[in-house]
Amino acid sequence: DAKTTQPPSMDCAEGRAANLPCNHSTISGNEYVYWYRQIHSQGPQYIIHGLKNNETNEMASLIITEDRKSSTLILPHATLRDTAVYYCIVRAVYNQGGKLIFGQGTELSVKP
Amino acid sequence: EPEVTQTPSHQVTQMGQEVILRCVPISNHLYFYWYRQILGQKVEFLVSFYNNEISEKSEIFDDQFSVERPDGSNFTLKIRSTKLEDSAMYFCASSEGGRPFSGNTIYFGEGSWLTVV
C-alpha cells in the first residue's frame, strides 16, 4: 500500500472549515483514500473514503486531486468535539479484507 | 447504528498470565481484525481473520498471540503469557467483505486497555 504524508498538527477556529491535507504521491490506480479519526485513545472512527471523485457525507467532504497524488479532508464547520488525530490511509481496492496501515496522522485542535 | 463491541474495557493482569480479549463484530461482517496501540504510539495492525483462519498477520503477532472465533458472534484475542510490553489498547475491528472493488470499510470497537504489571 502507498504511503501518505500529513502535517503533524493543525489548529482551526471553532465554526470555521478545517482543511486537512494529505499527500499520497505514490498511490496506484487501484487504491482508495480513507480518512479516520481518533479522539483521545478511543477506537479509530471511519469518516469517509474515495477513489477518484470527490465525496461528501454527513461528517465531511473529501477532495481528491485529478492526478490523485493528494487529497483534502474538509470538516465544514469544525466544533470542539472535532479535536482529534486524523489519519489519511490508502488501501487497495481489490483487497477487500486488507489491513489499514496507520501513520502518525494530523493532530487537529479546534479552538474556541 | 451497528457497532463493534469489546470486553473488558480495562484489564489489569500480572506478567506471565494469560489474557483473553473479546469482541463482537458487526453481525453481517466477514473480516475481523485486531490492532493495538501502545500509549503515545501509532495504531498497529496485528492480525486479520477470514473464513475461520488467519489471512494476514504482522511481525508483532508472534506465538504468544492467537485468535479464535469460538461461535457465530465472538472473536477473541488470546495472549498466552503476558509481558510488560504487551500493555496497550487493543482494538477489534470488522468489515463486511463480499464486495470486491467497492472499498469495504473497516469499523473499530472502542478498545480494551490491557495493563500488565
Side-chain angles (χ1 to χ4, degrees):
Chain A
D1 292 332
K3 293 194 175 164
T4 63
T5 305
Q6 300 178 252
S9 63
M10 290 182 63
D11 290 341
C12 178
E14 189 179 18
R16 304 296 294 268
N19 297 285
L20 292 95
C22 179
N23 286 321
H24 30 78
S25 57
T26 60
I27 193 169
S28 59
N30 63 359
E31 288 180 314
Y32 279 98
V33 179
Y34 282 81
W35 283 84
Y36 282 78
R37 73 180 182 184
Q38 189 176 27
I39 299 172
H40 193 56
S41 294
Q42 295 177 20
Q45 179 188 21
Y46 166 75
I47 301 173
I48 199 166
H49 73 281
L51 186 60
K52 287 187 271 194
N53 300 321
N54 299 337
E55 302 287 345
T56 296
N57 64 20
E58 64 277 4
M59 287 183 71
S61 295
L62 173 60
I63 309 298
I64 302 174
T65 57
E66 197 168 331
D67 64 5
R68 302 185 70 243
K69 292 183 186 300
S70 66
S71 60
T72 302
L73 178 75
I74 301 172
L75 308 178
H77 304 288
T79 71
L80 299 179
R81 287 176 296 183
D82 293 321
T83 292
V85 179
Y86 287 77
Y87 300 99
C88 169
I89 304 169
V90 292
R91 178 177 176 229
V93 165
Y94 57 81
N95 199 355
Q96 55 183 314
K99 62 183 182 286
L100 296 167
I101 301 174
F102 287 81
Q104 297 291 352
T106 295
E107 188 165 3
L108 175 69
S109 296
V110 181
K111 298 181 185 299
Chain B
E1 183 179 306
E3 57 182 22
V4 176
T5 57
Q6 292 186 239
T7 54
S9 56
H10 190 192
Q11 182 161 354
V12 181
T13 190
Q14 295 227 322
M15 194 167 52
Q17 295 296 303
E18 177 183 283
V19 160
I20 297 175
L21 305 178
R22 291 182 167 81
C23 168
V24 179
I26 296 172
S27 64
N28 62 334
H29 284 190
L30 302 177
Y31 289 86
F32 313 116
Y33 312 82
W34 284 101
Y35 287 75
R36 80 170 186 189
Q37 187 174 31
I38 295 170
L39 190 63
Q41 297 187 23
K42 292 189 298 186
V43 177
E44 300 174 290
F45 168 76
L46 291 178
V47 66
S48 59
F49 190 86
Y50 171 70
N51 200 26
N52 276 321
E53 60 183 26
I54 290 173
S55 47
E56 189 175 0
K57 61 182 180 179
S58 70
E59 291 177 354
I60 303 167
F61 194 88
D62 61 20
D63 292 344
Q64 292 274 76
F65 293 90
S66 62
V67 289
E68 192 179 31
R69 187 155 163 82
D71 54 42
S73 59
N74 291 287
F75 180 52
T76 61
L77 174 69
K78 183 193 290 186
I79 308 174
R80 210 178 324 276
S81 176
T82 51
K83 304 188 279 275
L84 294 176
E85 54 265 38
D86 294 327
S87 294
M89 178 74 98
Y90 289 82
F91 296 110
C92 177
S94 68
S95 66
E96 187 176 349
R99 296 182 295 136
F101 306 101
S102 63
N104 290 277
T105 300
I106 297 178
Y107 295 94
F108 288 79
E110 287 303 309
S112 294
W113 263 116
L114 176 65
T115 303
V116 183
V117 297

